[in-house]
Amino acid sequence: MTGTVSAEPGRVPGTVVGSTRALLACGVVAGPLYIVLVVLQMLTRDGFDIGRHPASLLSNGAQGWIQIVNFAVTGLLFVAYAIGLRRLREPGAGRAWVPRLVGVFGAGMVGAALFSADPVDGFPPGTPTGPPTSVSWHGMLHFLVAGVAFLALIAACFGFARRFASAGRRGWAVFSATTGGLFLAGWMSIFVLAGSRPANVAFAVAIGLVLTWTSLLAAHHLGRAREG
């Protein structure tokens, strides 16, 4: 069925069809799916230590296909969510470019699946401890696509914060801006405090926070779409 949504303040304008709702639902699922699969691997993969190893390293080893699939499926879900956001055509600043930023983040996760990070610091088992002495071409590309994806997601956080602020939704504006700021700080900490356990854990927590934000944001959009 097709629901018509009025253009009243705080409502999604236009017509929201079932396919658009399905695309928005992809955004609800994406973050929790990624988090759950990473946590399960953290608990079951020999030698993995979140204080030393980023989740990207889970793409290595005999069970590395699990994380590769995790990156790919989660990324595609985020791309689908971005398409759903674009279809909503919400009023306000960034209505065109903010959904594209979400799409860039999703595409970056797919890129992380295609280009795996190099084994490092004892993971998977048998890898020499300490920093790597060289970086492969796919390891370089992994860092590149991850960097672009993270920057896009941070920009999306602040883009949504601006949109919510202009709409008078202070809670969502603060939540979005705080999430973007904390994720940026967590990401920068792994460069400033390279090899530091607190920095690595903080970055992992920051990823969990930003993916929780994306899921709640998608649920928010899905709920508004269903108002029609």
Side-chain angles (χ1 to χ4, degrees):
M1 293 180 64
T2 299
T4 301
V5 183
S6 71
E8 297 171 3
R11 301 290 298 278
V12 180
T15 298
V16 182
V17 298
S19 61
T20 299
R21 294 191 183 101
L23 291 169
L24 296 174
C26 289
V28 179
V29 173
L33 174 66
Y34 182 87
I35 292 171
V36 167
L37 286 180
V38 167
V39 170
L40 288 176
Q41 292 178 86
M42 286 169 49
L43 297 174
T44 58
R45 296 286 302 272
D46 290 339
F48 186 83
D49 179 357
I50 195 62
R52 295 168 55 198
H53 309 125
S56 295
L57 293 189
L58 291 167
S59 295
N60 294 289
Q63 297 173 305
W65 64 270
I66 299 174
Q67 182 61 17
I68 292 173
V69 171
N70 192 17
F71 275 133
V73 172
T74 303
L76 291 174
L77 288 171
F78 273 116
V79 171
Y81 173 46
I83 295 171
L85 282 175
R86 179 63 176 157
R87 285 187 182 181
L88 285 181
R89 300 184 181 279
E90 288 188 303
R95 62 187 177 191
W97 59 266
V98 171
R100 290 172 185 165
L101 289 171
V102 176
V104 169
F105 173 67
M109 294 194 78
V110 174
L114 297 174
F115 310 112
S116 297
D118 292 329
V120 67
D121 198 15
F123 187 84
T127 303
T129 57
T133 57
S134 62
V135 181
S136 67
W137 65 270
H138 54 82
M140 289 293 293
L141 286 175
H142 181 89
F143 285 121
L144 176 61
V145 297
V148 171
F150 291 158
L151 288 173
L153 187 56
I154 291 166
C157 287
F158 290 113
F160 276 113
R162 180 185 177 191
R163 176 182 291 181
F164 283 124
S166 65
R169 295 175 175 264
R170 186 174 181 276
W172 270 105
V174 171
F175 183 25
S176 300
T178 302
T179 298
L182 290 175
F183 182 61
L184 175 61
W187 184 30
M188 289 297 98
S189 71
I190 63 173
F191 296 104
V192 176
L193 303 171
S196 165
R197 176 175 289 271
N200 291 336
V201 172
F203 180 51
V205 171
I207 290 176
L209 172 63
V210 76
L211 291 180
T212 300
W213 171 80
T214 61
S215 184
L216 294 174
L217 182 71
H220 167 75
H221 286 118
L222 182 59
R224 293 179 66 203
R226 282 177 174 162
E227 289 176 2

